[in-house]
Amino acid sequence: MIKRQLNTLPKVQSRRALKMKEYSGYYLMLLPIILWYIIFRYGPMYGIVIAFQDFYPLKGISGSEWVGFKHFKTMFTGLYFLPVLRNTILISFYKLIFGFPAPIILALIFNEIRHKHFKKISQTISYLPHFLSWVIVSGLVIEMLSPSRGLVNYFIQLLGFDPIFFVADPKYFRSVLVGSGIWQGIGWGSIIYLAAISNIDPQLYEAAAIDGATRIQRIRFITLPSLAPVVTIMLIFACGKLIDDNFSQVYNLLNLKVMSVGDVISTYTYEQGLVQMQYSYSTAVGLFKNIVSFSMVFGANAIAKRVSEYGIW
């Protein structure tokens, strides 16, 4: 038996070599992506060690003093990190609750549109904000919500109410972040669910229509159960981002009046690391965030596997 396995091993290796030779062009196309990840993603991981040091650029990583968990203790005992952590979790939780179902609902709406030209135009319009940078999107949001010339406040004043400075009001700032995030990503996010819907057997819908099922019933009993695997995987990824935040969005909308409700981990890390040059402390904060996000993905996947048969692995 062992001899047979040893005899078949060279054949398997030769087949693999032939396949690699056959698809060598594709491997060459993949090489720049692999190199990009190695250089810009995995290579910089060596710098994580400065979270356990009092890092000084002139001394370098090898010459800086090792201080262990000093910066992590400072992080949890300081006055500023815990409010920032709370803001991050709250904003991300609101985005999960309101933002996660939005692309699914939009995909279901697009799937029910029968007019092809209107459907294509609607999809294109919904995708456009994704291709705009947050600098532009934030500018549009600020202009639309401006108390003096914004479209939203124009209608508010027509109804007889006073204008509201949404971007500078702590009561509304988180809603602005969640709403603008949904508007920017809803169209692009719906593509995944539309692709999953397109793979559903049309005969299921035909059979349901013959049996007298309404559109709502077909969505409920055919479309949504068929989307369950994709929704589960996307939800696991979304849970991993529960402590994450969109730096570009928050940084471009944040101002001093809403710092108490809008300052999140990424803006806090930027302030501590690049502005105040506390490199070791900001690295410790970033490392903490990544560890929590990694743990959230594992936890969400474990729960998903217990509740259903779907998961990432």
Side-chain angles (χ1 to χ4, degrees):
M1 185 69 180
I2 296 172
K3 287 183 179 180
R4 285 183 183 178
Q5 290 178 350
L6 291 172
N7 290 331
T8 55
L9 189 60
K11 294 180 181 178
V12 173
Q13 290 177 342
S14 62
R15 286 176 186 172
R16 287 178 181 173
L18 287 171
K19 282 188 176 181
M20 289 185 71
K21 189 176 180 181
E22 183 182 354
Y23 298 108
S24 58
Y26 295 105
Y27 286 114
L28 285 173
M29 291 172 64
L30 188 63
L31 187 60
I33 300 171
I34 295 172
L35 289 174
W36 185 88
Y37 269 95
I38 291 172
I39 295 169
F40 295 104
R41 293 291 184 180
Y42 293 100
M45 283 185 180
Y46 173 69
I48 288 173
V49 298
I50 70 173
F52 306 95
Q53 296 177 326
D54 273 335
F55 175 74
Y56 292 97
L58 294 177
K59 293 182 178 179
I61 294 176
S62 58
S64 297
E65 182 186 355
W66 190 269
V67 294
F69 292 96
K70 171 188 171 183
H71 300 294
F72 293 92
K73 291 177 182 177
T74 304
M75 183 179 10
F76 289 108
T77 56
L79 297 174
Y80 301 106
F81 176 73
L82 292 179
V84 166
L85 178 62
R86 179 176 174 271
N87 290 338
T88 305
I89 293 173
L90 279 175
I91 292 170
S92 299
F93 182 73
Y94 294 149
K95 286 183 177 181
L96 180 65
I97 295 297
F98 298 104
F100 181 77
I104 303 172
I105 295 169
L106 185 63
L108 294 173
I109 293 171
F110 282 150
N111 187 55
E112 295 300 317
I113 296 174
R114 294 293 173 258
H115 196 285
K116 290 184 179 179
H117 294 293
F118 178 73
K119 183 178 180 178
K120 287 180 180 179
I121 292 169
S122 301
Q123 284 180 291
T124 303
I125 292 171
S126 70
Y127 300 157
L128 284 177
H130 173 78
F131 298 100
L132 300 176
S133 71
W134 269 110
V135 177
I136 298 171
V137 174
S138 299
L140 291 172
V141 170
I142 292 169
E143 285 299 313
M144 288 174 64
L145 300 178
S146 171
S148 58
R149 57 186 179 274
L151 185 64
V152 175
N153 275 296
Y154 173 75
F155 287 109
I156 289 175
Q157 290 180 78
L158 283 180
L159 295 172
F161 298 101
D162 294 328
I164 302 169
F165 199 175
F166 291 96
V167 181
D169 193 330
K171 290 189 295 183
Y172 298 102
F173 185 72
R174 287 172 181 164
S175 300
V176 171
L177 289 178
V178 174
S180 59
I182 292 172
W183 176 61
Q184 198 256 1
I186 186 172
W188 189 255
S190 67
I191 293 175
I192 296 172
Y193 302 106
L194 282 170
I197 291 171
S198 66
N199 287 325
I200 300 172
D201 189 352
Q203 292 181 357
L204 294 173
Y205 292 106
E206 292 171 6
I210 292 169
D211 289 339
T214 63
R215 281 193 176 188
I216 299 297
Q217 288 174 330
R218 277 175 272 172
I219 292 171
R220 180 182 175 186
F221 295 107
I222 297 175
T223 309
L224 290 177
S226 301
L227 284 177
V230 178
V231 172
T232 303
I233 292 170
M234 297 304 293
L235 182 60
I236 291 169
F237 287 132
C239 289
K241 295 179 181 178
L242 195 59
I243 199 174
D244 203 356
D245 50 72
N246 191 332
F247 171 77
S248 299
Q249 178 196 19
V250 180
Y251 183 75
N252 283 288
L253 289 171
L254 195 63
N255 55 77
L256 292 175
K257 291 187 177 181
V258 293
M259 286 292 287
S260 60
V261 296
D263 195 15
V264 292
I265 289 179
S266 61
T267 53
Y268 179 71
T269 305
Y270 167 80
E271 175 69 25
Q272 295 296 317
L274 295 181
V275 179
Q276 299 188 21
M277 294 185 291
Q278 297 184 24
Y279 303 114
S280 296
Y281 178 71
S282 61
T283 304
V285 174
L287 179 58
F288 166 77
K289 184 181 78 170
N290 291 332
I291 290 172
V292 173
S293 298
F294 190 69
S295 304
M296 290 291 292
V297 170
F298 267 86
N301 185 71
I303 293 170
K305 292 289 284 184
R306 281 194 175 188
V307 174
S308 65
E309 59 204 33
Y310 309 117
I312 300 176
W313 57 82

